[in-house]
Amino acid sequence: MIGCRHQKPIRNIIMFSLFKKNFSPPPTPTANLSIRCMEEKDLEMVMNWCKEEEWNVGKYDAAAYYALDPKGHFLFLLDEQPVGAISIVRYSSQLLAIGPFIVKKEYRNKGYGAQIWQHAIELLENNTNATACLYSVPTQISRYASSGFKKDFHIQRWQKSFVKKTSNVEETTEDLKQLNSLSIESIIEYYQSIFSASRKKLLAKFIQNENIVGFASTDDNGKITGFGLIRPCVQGYRIGPLYANHIENAQKLFYSLLTKANNCTVFIDAPSHNPYIERFTSFFNLDRVSEADTVAMFRGEVPISLSTNKHKNYAVCSLEIG
């Protein structure tokens, strides 16, 4: 079971980082770190570290990430001072996600990142029946491969400078429904059929937040055929997740979400293995932000539903928790 290990020193290995682009073997640290589970305020602090690194995280992500798994976020300390952090979120007994992995600037190049990563590896080794996933910058793929992760698909960053509403907004979106008007059970059922694990706690936090907007498309029987969310980030807005059975659904949802962006730039992280992504991004004249591309990597078997439903995945929720 993944859980807290209070104030336990952890041993060293070579340092890896989900988002650090330059790699060099760290020196042996002069001290071991202690560790504890985060409180929600700690995770908010860590998300602020991410903002300082110019990671375009959502303004309200900390509360949602914490709700996912309160025991899955770990803070590392040196003489009671926060040094770094990592999250290993348990979605189910079959799926784990490695989230923000970061060391504060003033503590880098001392080997502390190695200690933090070792803690993650120990937890994964105690959950051998579970698949673990993460997103890596391309330069770090070989490093994570050394820990048993295999690359599966690429994530492309795209952006759209907001275009003012046109006269046909209502016509384009009239058959869509506000996400908060639907039963959360129906949304979870659709989401889980693609993602492979329940995201009820995450969705509940997002849907309850008045600053986050969602729409869904439905068929004649009221069954969900697609849905998407838009939320404010450090810079502009992020659309994700965006799932849809057909590209026409995805286009309507994306367009309706764009109208909520308040003249700001909108970003999406789109799985390149969706065969309709090129057509989708061309339809909206989206611009590539290739320097922010990542690669989805898995340790263990990739959930079948993610592979068989790749044509329905137009934007991942986040690079921190998938």
Side-chain angles (χ1 to χ4, degrees), residues 179-184 187-188 200-214 227 229:
L179 206 59
N180 58 13
S181 70
L182 302 174
S183 71
I184 193 167
I187 305 168
I188 294 165
K200 182 176 182 178
K201 294 177 181 178
L202 178 76
L203 281 171
K205 280 290 184 181
F206 281 163
I207 293 172
Q208 291 165 6
N209 190 320
E210 62 182 11
N211 298 294
I212 298 174
V213 178
F227 82 97
L229 288 161

Side-chain angles (χ1 to χ4, degrees), residues 17-29:
S17 174
L18 283 166
F19 299 100
K20 188 174 178 63
K21 297 181 182 295
N22 299 314
F23 175 83
S24 60
T28 302

Side-chain angles (χ1 to χ4, degrees), residues 134-317:
L134 58 78
Y135 293 109
S136 171
V137 293
T139 56
Q140 291 298 315
I141 291 173
S142 61
R143 311 303 178 183
Y144 288 111
S146 298
S147 293
F149 286 86
K150 297 179 180 179
K151 63 180 182 179
D152 190 70
F153 56 88
H154 291 261
I155 301 290
Q156 298 176 341
R157 174 72 56 83
W158 296 84
Q159 70 177 40
K160 175 71 174 179
S161 296
F162 182 70
V163 179
K164 291 183 178 180
K165 290 184 180 179
T166 61
S167 59
N168 66 341
V169 170
E170 289 77 14
E171 179 183 345
T172 305
T173 63
E174 64 180 359
D175 58 342
L176 299 179
K177 297 180 179 179
Q178 291 276 351
L179 206 59
N180 58 13
S181 70
L182 302 174
S183 71
I184 193 167
E185 288 77 15
S186 63
I187 305 168
I188 294 165
E189 181 181 1
Y190 180 78
Y191 202 170
Q192 187 169 346
S193 70
I194 300 171
F195 183 73
S196 82
S198 174
R199 280 186 148 181
K200 182 176 182 178
K201 294 177 181 178
L202 178 76
L203 281 171
K205 280 290 184 181
F206 281 163
I207 293 172
Q208 291 165 6
N209 190 320
E210 62 182 11
N211 298 294
I212 298 174
V213 178
F215 291 101
S217 59
T218 57
D219 61 19
D220 294 339
N221 297 317
K223 189 173 182 179
I224 293 176
T225 57
F227 82 97
L229 288 161
I230 183 168
R231 65 190 193 275
C233 295
V234 177
Q235 297 179 5
Y237 286 76
R238 176 183 298 280
I239 289 179
L242 177 60
Y243 287 176
N245 291 359
H246 306 288
I247 188 171
E248 292 79 13
N249 297 106
Q251 289 171 338
K252 285 186 177 182
L253 288 164
F254 189 79
Y255 185 80
S256 66
L257 293 167
L258 282 179
T259 67
K260 303 298 181 180
N262 300 323
N263 292 311
C264 293
T265 300
V266 173
F267 300 89
I268 66 168
D269 289 302
S272 62
H273 67 346
N274 182 332
Y276 303 111
I277 282 296
E278 182 176 353
R279 178 178 159 192
F280 176 83
T281 55
S282 296
F283 182 85
F284 290 101
N285 295 314
L286 302 186
D287 298 316
R288 285 281 280 113
V289 190
S290 57
E291 63 271 19
D293 285 0
T294 55
V295 178
M297 301 188 72
F298 293 83
R299 175 171 159 145
E301 296 296 323
V302 178
I304 295 175
S305 60
L306 279 177
S307 299
T308 58
N309 290 295
K310 60 187 179 182
H311 61 290
K312 300 180 182 180
N313 189 353
Y314 288 84
V316 301
C317 180

